[in-house]
Amino acid sequence: MATLNKYSKTTSGSIFDETLFARIADDLYSNGYSIQPAALPEEVSGALHAHLEEINASKYVEAGIGRGDDFLKNEFVRTDEICWITGSSTAGQKWLDWTAELQRFLNQRLFLGLFSFESHFAHYAPGAYYKRHSDAFIGEANRVLSVVTYLNPAWGHEDGGELVLYKDDKDREGIKVVPLYGTLVIFLSEEFPHEVLPAQRDRHSVAGWFRVNTSINNKIDPPL
Ligand code: OGA
Ligand code: MN
């Protein structure tokens, strides 16, 4: 069936395709997750990929688990290293503008009430992994939607490093996603435990989370 693409521009000028957003919304509504190969606009993927060269090793920190005072380093769970995206680089800003359009669309279409977004680059050295986990923490149940995109050109099954998305706590089989350049994975943070298998090569991803506002006593959480 022919699809009419509907292109618009983000504030930083990247072209985005609302029919892609509509497919993501349909998948989320029916299944709670969406896997879209070659989905991120080349202008955004290309900028993020080029930016990897500029983030030298010193900007990455060992990844931990939890936020603020609950932050824990736990080698048993994950051995990747991360670099938060603040929008201070053009590449980071393009990504944040694109995810803001996605947020606006999903709020309009699915009434998700997404309020803010946080994301980071992640580098998995050969052999690094992130064991089965959930992105939403008990008592901090404000991460509602997880999004991951990959920056690895010419990646095949033999390179390992798949993301395995489990449909529920009982699922042991999961759905394997090859972390190939441009692929986008989006899922409800509380519903899908997942893991990153060790890779043979350096593996680069960008992971992000849309959050709802869980303010208490008029103190906005998360901070804007
Ligand atoms: C995460 C995560 C998945 C990936 O950072 O929480 O699950 O494929 N990342 O990099
Ligand atoms: Mn995760």
Side-chain angles (χ1 to χ4, degrees), residues 16-45:
F16 65 94
D17 173 5
E18 289 216 343
T19 60
L20 168 70
F21 290 173
R23 291 201 305 278
I24 292 170
D26 286 351
D27 281 353
L28 286 176
Y29 184 79
S30 330
N31 305 315
Y33 74 95
S34 182
I35 300 168
Q36 301 284 344
L40 198 65
E42 173 52 34
E43 196 179 335
V44 183
S45 298

PDB file of all heavy atoms in Angstrom, residues 16-45:
ATOM      1  N   PHE A  16      11.792  15.662   9.594  1.00  0.00           N
ATOM      2  CA  PHE A  16      11.261  14.445  10.208  1.00  0.00           C
ATOM      3  C   PHE A  16       9.972  14.053   9.510  1.00  0.00           C
ATOM      4  O   PHE A  16       9.315  14.859   8.862  1.00  0.00           O
ATOM      5  CB  PHE A  16      11.077  14.596  11.716  1.00  0.00           C
ATOM      6  CG  PHE A  16      10.038  15.604  12.130  1.00  0.00           C
ATOM      7  CD1 PHE A  16       8.729  15.199  12.384  1.00  0.00           C
ATOM      8  CD2 PHE A  16      10.371  16.930  12.286  1.00  0.00           C
ATOM      9  CE1 PHE A  16       7.775  16.124  12.771  1.00  0.00           C
ATOM     10  CE2 PHE A  16       9.423  17.864  12.668  1.00  0.00           C
ATOM     11  CZ  PHE A  16       8.113  17.464  12.915  1.00  0.00           C
ATOM     12  N   ASP A  17       9.639  12.774   9.670  1.00  0.00           N
ATOM     13  CA  ASP A  17       8.567  12.161   8.912  1.00  0.00           C
ATOM     14  C   ASP A  17       7.447  11.749   9.886  1.00  0.00           C
ATOM     15  O   ASP A  17       7.626  10.853  10.691  1.00  0.00           O
ATOM     16  CB  ASP A  17       9.168  10.939   8.195  1.00  0.00           C
ATOM     17  CG  ASP A  17       8.136  10.097   7.488  1.00  0.00           C
ATOM     18  OD1 ASP A  17       6.957  10.486   7.461  1.00  0.00           O
ATOM     19  OD2 ASP A  17       8.527   9.033   6.970  1.00  0.00           O
ATOM     20  N   GLU A  18       6.328  12.428   9.798  1.00  0.00           N
ATOM     21  CA  GLU A  18       5.239  12.130  10.738  1.00  0.00           C
ATOM     22  C   GLU A  18       4.625  10.754  10.513  1.00  0.00           C
ATOM     23  O   GLU A  18       4.002  10.204  11.409  1.00  0.00           O
ATOM     24  CB  GLU A  18       4.158  13.219  10.673  1.00  0.00           C
ATOM     25  CG  GLU A  18       4.644  14.521  11.270  1.00  0.00           C
ATOM     26  CD  GLU A  18       3.567  15.303  12.019  1.00  0.00           C
ATOM     27  OE1 GLU A  18       2.377  15.006  11.818  1.00  0.00           O
ATOM     28  OE2 GLU A  18       3.936  16.198  12.785  1.00  0.00           O
ATOM     29  N   THR A  19       4.822  10.178   9.314  1.00  0.00           N
ATOM     30  CA  THR A  19       4.270   8.823   9.111  1.00  0.00           C
ATOM     31  C   THR A  19       5.065   7.806   9.934  1.00  0.00           C
ATOM     32  O   THR A  19       4.516   6.812  10.373  1.00  0.00           O
ATOM     33  CB  THR A  19       4.263   8.407   7.627  1.00  0.00           C
ATOM     34  OG1 THR A  19       5.595   8.417   7.137  1.00  0.00           O
ATOM     35  CG2 THR A  19       3.399   9.330   6.799  1.00  0.00           C
ATOM     36  N   LEU A  20       6.363   8.085  10.144  1.00  0.00           N
ATOM     37  CA  LEU A  20       7.159   7.230  11.034  1.00  0.00           C
ATOM     38  C   LEU A  20       6.613   7.349  12.460  1.00  0.00           C
ATOM     39  O   LEU A  20       6.397   6.339  13.142  1.00  0.00           O
ATOM     40  CB  LEU A  20       8.639   7.632  10.991  1.00  0.00           C
ATOM     41  CG  LEU A  20       9.520   7.013  12.077  1.00  0.00           C
ATOM     42  CD1 LEU A  20       9.706   5.511  11.860  1.00  0.00           C
ATOM     43  CD2 LEU A  20      10.885   7.700  12.151  1.00  0.00           C
ATOM     44  N   PHE A  21       6.370   8.573  12.917  1.00  0.00           N
ATOM     45  CA  PHE A  21       5.824   8.781  14.263  1.00  0.00           C
ATOM     46  C   PHE A  21       4.479   8.058  14.401  1.00  0.00           C
ATOM     47  O   PHE A  21       4.183   7.469  15.435  1.00  0.00           O
ATOM     48  CB  PHE A  21       5.631  10.275  14.537  1.00  0.00           C
ATOM     49  CG  PHE A  21       6.915  11.060  14.689  1.00  0.00           C
ATOM     50  CD1 PHE A  21       6.884  12.449  14.800  1.00  0.00           C
ATOM     51  CD2 PHE A  21       8.148  10.422  14.745  1.00  0.00           C
ATOM     52  CE1 PHE A  21       8.056  13.191  14.953  1.00  0.00           C
ATOM     53  CE2 PHE A  21       9.328  11.150  14.895  1.00  0.00           C
ATOM     54  CZ  PHE A  21       9.283  12.538  14.996  1.00  0.00           C
ATOM     55  N   ALA A  22       3.679   8.092  13.338  1.00  0.00           N
ATOM     56  CA  ALA A  22       2.371   7.442  13.383  1.00  0.00           C
ATOM     57  C   ALA A  22       2.525   5.920  13.493  1.00  0.00           C
ATOM     58  O   ALA A  22       1.782   5.261  14.223  1.00  0.00           O
ATOM     59  CB  ALA A  22       1.552   7.814  12.157  1.00  0.00           C
ATOM     60  N   ARG A  23       3.506   5.358  12.779  1.00  0.00           N
ATOM     61  CA  ARG A  23       3.752   3.907  12.878  1.00  0.00           C
ATOM     62  C   ARG A  23       4.205   3.543  14.282  1.00  0.00           C
ATOM     63  O   ARG A  23       3.800   2.532  14.851  1.00  0.00           O
ATOM     64  CB  ARG A  23       4.816   3.461  11.863  1.00  0.00           C
ATOM     65  CG  ARG A  23       4.356   3.523  10.415  1.00  0.00           C
ATOM     66  CD  ARG A  23       5.194   2.617   9.518  1.00  0.00           C
ATOM     67  NE  ARG A  23       6.631   2.871   9.571  1.00  0.00           N
ATOM     68  CZ  ARG A  23       7.260   3.829   8.880  1.00  0.00           C
ATOM     69  NH1 ARG A  23       6.579   4.651   8.100  1.00  0.00           N
ATOM     70  NH2 ARG A  23       8.571   3.977   8.977  1.00  0.00           N
ATOM     71  N   ILE A  24       5.070   4.381  14.866  1.00  0.00           N
ATOM     72  CA  ILE A  24       5.538   4.136  16.230  1.00  0.00           C
ATOM     73  C   ILE A  24       4.341   4.175  17.193  1.00  0.00           C
ATOM     74  O   ILE A  24       4.189   3.300  18.046  1.00  0.00           O
ATOM     75  CB  ILE A  24       6.611   5.170  16.634  1.00  0.00           C
ATOM     76  CG1 ILE A  24       7.889   4.944  15.812  1.00  0.00           C
ATOM     77  CG2 ILE A  24       6.903   5.110  18.128  1.00  0.00           C
ATOM     78  CD1 ILE A  24       8.944   6.033  15.950  1.00  0.00           C
ATOM     79  N   ALA A  25       3.490   5.182  17.030  1.00  0.00           N
ATOM     80  CA  ALA A  25       2.319   5.325  17.915  1.00  0.00           C
ATOM     81  C   ALA A  25       1.405   4.096  17.789  1.00  0.00           C
ATOM     82  O   ALA A  25       0.934   3.557  18.798  1.00  0.00           O
ATOM     83  CB  ALA A  25       1.558   6.602  17.582  1.00  0.00           C
ATOM     84  N   ASP A  26       1.175   3.639  16.568  1.00  0.00           N
ATOM     85  CA  ASP A  26       0.321   2.451  16.363  1.00  0.00           C
ATOM     86  C   ASP A  26       0.918   1.227  17.053  1.00  0.00           C
ATOM     87  O   ASP A  26       0.210   0.478  17.724  1.00  0.00           O
ATOM     88  CB  ASP A  26       0.173   2.132  14.861  1.00  0.00           C
ATOM     89  CG  ASP A  26      -0.741   3.118  14.159  1.00  0.00           C
ATOM     90  OD1 ASP A  26      -1.380   3.934  14.852  1.00  0.00           O
ATOM     91  OD2 ASP A  26      -0.792   3.078  12.910  1.00  0.00           O
ATOM     92  N   ASP A  27       2.237   1.022  16.869  1.00  0.00           N
ATOM     93  CA  ASP A  27       2.918  -0.118  17.502  1.00  0.00           C
ATOM     94  C   ASP A  27       2.819  -0.021  19.022  1.00  0.00           C
ATOM     95  O   ASP A  27       2.562  -1.016  19.703  1.00  0.00           O
ATOM     96  CB  ASP A  27       4.412  -0.128  17.150  1.00  0.00           C
ATOM     97  CG  ASP A  27       4.684  -0.678  15.762  1.00  0.00           C
ATOM     98  OD1 ASP A  27       3.741  -1.174  15.112  1.00  0.00           O
ATOM     99  OD2 ASP A  27       5.853  -0.619  15.334  1.00  0.00           O
ATOM    100  N   LEU A  28       3.060   1.163  19.561  1.00  0.00           N
ATOM    101  CA  LEU A  28       3.023   1.328  21.026  1.00  0.00           C
ATOM    102  C   LEU A  28       1.626   1.021  21.547  1.00  0.00           C
ATOM    103  O   LEU A  28       1.463   0.369  22.573  1.00  0.00           O
ATOM    104  CB  LEU A  28       3.428   2.751  21.428  1.00  0.00           C
ATOM    105  CG  LEU A  28       4.920   3.091  21.317  1.00  0.00           C
ATOM    106  CD1 LEU A  28       5.147   4.559  21.658  1.00  0.00           C
ATOM    107  CD2 LEU A  28       5.764   2.205  22.239  1.00  0.00           C
ATOM    108  N   TYR A  29       0.643   1.505  20.809  1.00  0.00           N
ATOM    109  CA  TYR A  29      -0.746   1.296  21.224  1.00  0.00           C
ATOM    110  C   TYR A  29      -1.092  -0.196  21.209  1.00  0.00           C
ATOM    111  O   TYR A  29      -1.712  -0.711  22.131  1.00  0.00           O
ATOM    112  CB  TYR A  29      -1.682   2.081  20.299  1.00  0.00           C
ATOM    113  CG  TYR A  29      -3.126   2.000  20.709  1.00  0.00           C
ATOM    114  CD1 TYR A  29      -3.597   2.794  21.752  1.00  0.00           C
ATOM    115  CD2 TYR A  29      -4.004   1.120  20.080  1.00  0.00           C
ATOM    116  CE1 TYR A  29      -4.920   2.713  22.155  1.00  0.00           C
ATOM    117  CE2 TYR A  29      -5.326   1.039  20.479  1.00  0.00           C
ATOM    118  CZ  TYR A  29      -5.778   1.835  21.517  1.00  0.00           C
ATOM    119  OH  TYR A  29      -7.082   1.757  21.917  1.00  0.00           O
ATOM    120  N   SER A  30      -0.674  -0.926  20.159  1.00  0.00           N
ATOM    121  CA  SER A  30      -1.045  -2.336  20.039  1.00  0.00           C
ATOM    122  C   SER A  30      -0.132  -3.268  20.829  1.00  0.00           C
ATOM    123  O   SER A  30      -0.591  -4.267  21.364  1.00  0.00           O
ATOM    124  CB  SER A  30      -1.002  -2.835  18.594  1.00  0.00           C
ATOM    125  OG  SER A  30      -1.284  -1.841  17.706  1.00  0.00           O
ATOM    126  N   ASN A  31       1.178  -2.969  20.869  1.00  0.00           N
ATOM    127  CA  ASN A  31       2.125  -3.939  21.447  1.00  0.00           C
ATOM    128  C   ASN A  31       2.967  -3.402  22.591  1.00  0.00           C
ATOM    129  O   ASN A  31       3.643  -4.178  23.260  1.00  0.00           O
ATOM    130  CB  ASN A  31       3.111  -4.406  20.356  1.00  0.00           C
ATOM    131  CG  ASN A  31       2.390  -4.963  19.146  1.00  0.00           C
ATOM    132  OD1 ASN A  31       1.445  -5.738  19.285  1.00  0.00           O
ATOM    133  ND2 ASN A  31       2.818  -4.545  17.963  1.00  0.00           N
ATOM    134  N   GLY A  32       3.007  -2.102  22.767  1.00  0.00           N
ATOM    135  CA  GLY A  32       3.829  -1.527  23.834  1.00  0.00           C
ATOM    136  C   GLY A  32       5.276  -1.301  23.420  1.00  0.00           C
ATOM    137  O   GLY A  32       6.072  -0.793  24.201  1.00  0.00           O
ATOM    138  N   TYR A  33       5.635  -1.725  22.200  1.00  0.00           N
ATOM    139  CA  TYR A  33       6.997  -1.468  21.721  1.00  0.00           C
ATOM    140  C   TYR A  33       6.988  -1.294  20.210  1.00  0.00           C
ATOM    141  O   TYR A  33       6.024  -1.678  19.538  1.00  0.00           O
ATOM    142  CB  TYR A  33       7.956  -2.603  22.113  1.00  0.00           C
ATOM    143  CG  TYR A  33       7.767  -3.872  21.311  1.00  0.00           C
ATOM    144  CD1 TYR A  33       8.545  -4.131  20.178  1.00  0.00           C
ATOM    145  CD2 TYR A  33       6.808  -4.806  21.673  1.00  0.00           C
ATOM    146  CE1 TYR A  33       8.366  -5.285  19.433  1.00  0.00           C
ATOM    147  CE2 TYR A  33       6.619  -5.967  20.928  1.00  0.00           C
ATOM    148  CZ  TYR A  33       7.403  -6.200  19.820  1.00  0.00           C
ATOM    149  OH  TYR A  33       7.210  -7.329  19.066  1.00  0.00           O
ATOM    150  N   SER A  34       8.074  -0.731  19.704  1.00  0.00           N
ATOM    151  CA  SER A  34       8.200  -0.535  18.259  1.00  0.00           C
ATOM    152  C   SER A  34       9.671  -0.651  17.881  1.00  0.00           C
ATOM    153  O   SER A  34      10.533  -0.077  18.549  1.00  0.00           O
ATOM    154  CB  SER A  34       7.667   0.852  17.878  1.00  0.00           C
ATOM    155  OG  SER A  34       7.727   1.038  16.481  1.00  0.00           O
ATOM    156  N   ILE A  35       9.953  -1.427  16.834  1.00  0.00           N
ATOM    157  CA  ILE A  35      11.322  -1.564  16.328  1.00  0.00           C
ATOM    158  C   ILE A  35      11.313  -1.068  14.891  1.00  0.00           C
ATOM    159  O   ILE A  35      10.585  -1.608  14.057  1.00  0.00           O
ATOM    160  CB  ILE A  35      11.794  -3.035  16.395  1.00  0.00           C
ATOM    161  CG1 ILE A  35      11.766  -3.525  17.848  1.00  0.00           C
ATOM    162  CG2 ILE A  35      13.204  -3.181  15.793  1.00  0.00           C
ATOM    163  CD1 ILE A  35      11.922  -5.023  18.007  1.00  0.00           C
ATOM    164  N   GLN A  36      12.083  -0.025  14.603  1.00  0.00           N
ATOM    165  CA  GLN A  36      12.054   0.607  13.282  1.00  0.00           C
ATOM    166  C   GLN A  36      13.460   0.676  12.701  1.00  0.00           C
ATOM    167  O   GLN A  36      14.279   1.480  13.153  1.00  0.00           O
ATOM    168  CB  GLN A  36      11.486   2.035  13.402  1.00  0.00           C
ATOM    169  CG  GLN A  36      10.098   2.126  13.979  1.00  0.00           C
ATOM    170  CD  GLN A  36       9.011   1.713  12.968  1.00  0.00           C
ATOM    171  OE1 GLN A  36       9.271   1.636  11.760  1.00  0.00           O
ATOM    172  NE2 GLN A  36       7.817   1.426  13.450  1.00  0.00           N
ATOM    173  N   PRO A  37      13.754  -0.173  11.702  1.00  0.00           N
ATOM    174  CA  PRO A  37      15.075  -0.090  11.057  1.00  0.00           C
ATOM    175  C   PRO A  37      15.186   1.181  10.212  1.00  0.00           C
ATOM    176  O   PRO A  37      14.172   1.672   9.712  1.00  0.00           O
ATOM    177  CB  PRO A  37      15.127  -1.327  10.151  1.00  0.00           C
ATOM    178  CG  PRO A  37      13.920  -2.148  10.498  1.00  0.00           C
ATOM    179  CD  PRO A  37      12.915  -1.229  11.128  1.00  0.00           C
ATOM    180  N   ALA A  38      16.383   1.690  10.065  1.00  0.00           N
ATOM    181  CA  ALA A  38      16.674   2.871   9.229  1.00  0.00           C
ATOM    182  C   ALA A  38      15.666   3.996   9.466  1.00  0.00           C
ATOM    183  O   ALA A  38      15.129   4.561   8.519  1.00  0.00           O
ATOM    184  CB  ALA A  38      16.680   2.474   7.743  1.00  0.00           C
ATOM    185  N   ALA A  39      15.435   4.298  10.727  1.00  0.00           N
ATOM    186  CA  ALA A  39      14.346   5.218  11.062  1.00  0.00           C
ATOM    187  C   ALA A  39      14.806   6.633  11.388  1.00  0.00           C
ATOM    188  O   ALA A  39      14.169   7.599  10.986  1.00  0.00           O
ATOM    189  CB  ALA A  39      13.568   4.662  12.245  1.00  0.00           C
ATOM    190  N   LEU A  40      15.908   6.742  12.114  1.00  0.00           N
ATOM    191  CA  LEU A  40      16.333   8.085  12.520  1.00  0.00           C
ATOM    192  C   LEU A  40      16.785   8.850  11.273  1.00  0.00           C
ATOM    193  O   LEU A  40      17.501   8.307  10.447  1.00  0.00           O
ATOM    194  CB  LEU A  40      17.478   7.969  13.537  1.00  0.00           C
ATOM    195  CG  LEU A  40      17.749   9.224  14.359  1.00  0.00           C
ATOM    196  CD1 LEU A  40      16.561   9.541  15.260  1.00  0.00           C
ATOM    197  CD2 LEU A  40      19.008   9.074  15.190  1.00  0.00           C
ATOM    198  N   PRO A  41      16.347  10.117  11.105  1.00  0.00           N
ATOM    199  CA  PRO A  41      16.785  10.873   9.923  1.00  0.00           C
ATOM    200  C   PRO A  41      18.308  10.875   9.825  1.00  0.00           C
ATOM    201  O   PRO A  41      18.988  11.013  10.843  1.00  0.00           O
ATOM    202  CB  PRO A  41      16.268  12.288  10.186  1.00  0.00           C
ATOM    203  CG  PRO A  41      15.188  12.139  11.199  1.00  0.00           C
ATOM    204  CD  PRO A  41      15.502  10.912  12.003  1.00  0.00           C
ATOM    205  N   GLU A  42      18.806  10.720   8.614  1.00  0.00           N
ATOM    206  CA  GLU A  42      20.261  10.650   8.396  1.00  0.00           C
ATOM    207  C   GLU A  42      20.963  11.895   8.960  1.00  0.00           C
ATOM    208  O   GLU A  42      22.055  11.798   9.496  1.00  0.00           O
ATOM    209  CB  GLU A  42      20.542  10.464   6.902  1.00  0.00           C
ATOM    210  CG  GLU A  42      22.008  10.528   6.502  1.00  0.00           C
ATOM    211  CD  GLU A  42      22.937   9.609   7.292  1.00  0.00           C
ATOM    212  OE1 GLU A  42      22.503   8.491   7.691  1.00  0.00           O
ATOM    213  OE2 GLU A  42      24.096  10.012   7.528  1.00  0.00           O
ATOM    214  N   GLU A  43      20.296  13.020   8.898  1.00  0.00           N
ATOM    215  CA  GLU A  43      20.931  14.237   9.411  1.00  0.00           C
ATOM    216  C   GLU A  43      21.219  14.125  10.919  1.00  0.00           C
ATOM    217  O   GLU A  43      22.235  14.618  11.409  1.00  0.00           O
ATOM    218  CB  GLU A  43      20.028  15.439   9.140  1.00  0.00           C
ATOM    219  CG  GLU A  43      20.803  16.707   9.302  1.00  0.00           C
ATOM    220  CD  GLU A  43      20.005  17.956   9.040  1.00  0.00           C
ATOM    221  OE1 GLU A  43      19.008  17.885   8.293  1.00  0.00           O
ATOM    222  OE2 GLU A  43      20.406  18.991   9.591  1.00  0.00           O
ATOM    223  N   VAL A  44      20.322  13.463  11.626  1.00  0.00           N
ATOM    224  CA  VAL A  44      20.495  13.310  13.076  1.00  0.00           C
ATOM    225  C   VAL A  44      21.500  12.188  13.372  1.00  0.00           C
ATOM    226  O   VAL A  44      22.466  12.382  14.117  1.00  0.00           O
ATOM    227  CB  VAL A  44      19.133  13.046  13.768  1.00  0.00           C
ATOM    228  CG1 VAL A  44      19.299  12.957  15.276  1.00  0.00           C
ATOM    229  CG2 VAL A  44      18.114  14.124  13.401  1.00  0.00           C
ATOM    230  N   SER A  45      21.291  11.009  12.752  1.00  0.00           N
ATOM    231  CA  SER A  45      22.237   9.881  12.951  1.00  0.00           C
ATOM    232  C   SER A  45      23.651  10.269  12.561  1.00  0.00           C
ATOM    233  O   SER A  45      24.604   9.970  13.276  1.00  0.00           O
ATOM    234  CB  SER A  45      21.892   8.692  12.054  1.00  0.00           C
ATOM    235  OG  SER A  45      20.656   8.182  12.338  1.00  0.00           O
TER     236      SER A  45
END
